[in-house]
Amino acid sequence: MAKPSKENTPITEHLAYLLAQANREINRQLELRLSKEGVPVEQWRILKVLSDGNGHSMGELADAVLLNHPTLTKMIDRMVSDTLVYRVQDPNDRRKVLMFISDRGKVLCKRLNSLAVDQEEHILESYGDKSTSELKRLLESLIDSSN
Amino acid sequence: MAKPSKENTPITEHLAYLLAQANREINRQLELRLSKEGVPVEQWRILKVLSDGNGHSMGELADAVLLNHPTLTKMIDRMVSDTLVYRVQDPNDRRKVLMFISDRGKVLCKRLNSLAVDQEEHILESYGDKSTSELKRLLESLIDSSN
DNA sequence: CTTCAATTCTTGAATATTCAATATTTTCAA
DNA sequence: TTGAAAATATTGAATATTCAAGAATTGAAG
């Protein structure tokens, strides 16, 4: 009796691959919608996180929007040029920079949110309410268990 | 009674975000393991797809390993330099190039497979058998429903 | 207090990715 | 058969990302 070796399982059965594939596809769709406003997905994430009106440090932001520090710095540079966000030195810890969303940023963020909601609804339609919420639940728990 | 507007839901509840986050985390873990052999995740995918011994065209490969054509071309260039794979012009359609895995590639691929299996098993332990297979099922069906 | 390690963010150089254009071959309609 | 359109892969320039190093500030131990 041969030892059941997992080493020949096709790549399409690896969780890592399925996640990458699903992410690529869903991200591509979202990208397409947001391109109506000429904004990359990461900028939408940044605006969305900042739209609570509070100041967020770069480190905090980088975690929240899934970007490395240097990448975030450079993206924020562009967004500052576009006056979507602005920097304020943290008075309590001057190593830190607090990011804030501007009024222009808020207006744009609203339009982006509605494009993103369109997509979520499109997914709900084709994929189903039940599957969607179950998938979300499982993803959250996977993320939890990975820390 | 206010219309229940989805537009203010935090980003952490969007499917697109959860997928990106889970993918980033799992991919980071896999990357870490494969770095023992100095190989990026994408090269493992390429080797794995080619390890059926058949020739695969660049277009086919690009789809399978989730890379754009030009990115794949350049990655293959590197792998050809490392003699992990080689190109053969498709005799039936000379626009196409067929990629094959070399013997060296096969040997490396085996070592990589075992690193990848380690990870899958680590996930199974911390996340659970049931959740894992259920998540895979849901991801497959999401991908299906997106075509 | 002083100094040294840790934290936070940015910068510049090295790499990698992407977009648009090109070259080649095939397909197919006239 | 010919010529135009489609398919396939690559290239080069423009962009973007990453890695390693640096600058500024804080924390904390002696």
Side-chain angles (χ1 to χ4, degrees), chain B residues 68 70-71 74 78 93-95:
Chain B
N68 299 339
T71 306
K74 285 155 190 172
R78 292 190 283 270
D93 183 342
R94 285 175 3 226
R95 289 169 303 182

Side-chain angles (χ1 to χ4, degrees), chain B residues 10-77:
Chain B
I11 197 170
T12 51
E13 285 173 27
H14 281 263
L15 180 57
Y17 179 81
L18 290 170
L19 278 170
Q21 192 181 8
N23 178 51
R24 186 177 163 90
E25 179 59 27
I26 298 300
N27 199 59
R28 201 189 54 75
Q29 288 174 17
L30 181 56
E31 210 165 46
L32 193 66
R33 309 220 174 205
L34 298 188
S35 72
K36 192 166 296 192
E37 297 285 346
V39 175
V41 175
E42 290 80 9
Q43 289 198 16
W44 170 62
R45 289 199 200 125
I46 292 170
L47 291 173
K48 191 138 180 75
V49 169
L50 296 185
S51 64
D52 67 1
N54 299 325
H56 293 261
S57 76
M58 292 295 281
E60 205 186 320
L61 245 191
D63 281 352
V65 305
L66 315 175
L67 288 177
N68 299 339
H69 281 219
T71 306
L72 178 64
T73 292
K74 285 155 190 172
M75 184 160 285
I76 289 286
D77 286 346

Side-chain angles (χ1 to χ4, degrees), chain A residues 15-25, chain B residues 19 23 27 45 66 139:
Chain A
L15 181 56
Y17 180 81
L18 290 170
L19 279 171
Q21 192 181 8
N23 178 51
R24 186 176 163 87
E25 180 57 29
Chain B
L19 278 170
N23 178 51
N27 199 59
R45 289 199 200 125
L66 315 175
L139 287 172

Side-chain angles (χ1 to χ4, degrees), chain A residues 57-76:
Chain A
S57 76
M58 292 296 280
E60 203 186 322
L61 247 191
D63 281 352
V65 305
L66 315 176
L67 288 177
N68 299 339
H69 281 221
T71 307
L72 178 63
T73 292
K74 285 155 191 173
M75 183 160 287
I76 288 288

Side-chain angles (χ1 to χ4, degrees), chain A residues 74-93:
Chain A
K74 285 155 191 173
M75 183 160 287
I76 288 288
D77 286 346
R78 292 190 283 270
M79 295 175 76
V80 168
S81 300
D82 295 341
T83 69
L84 296 171
V85 299
Y86 56 94
R87 290 178 162 98
V88 174
Q89 170 131 251
D90 185 338
N92 296 119
D93 183 342

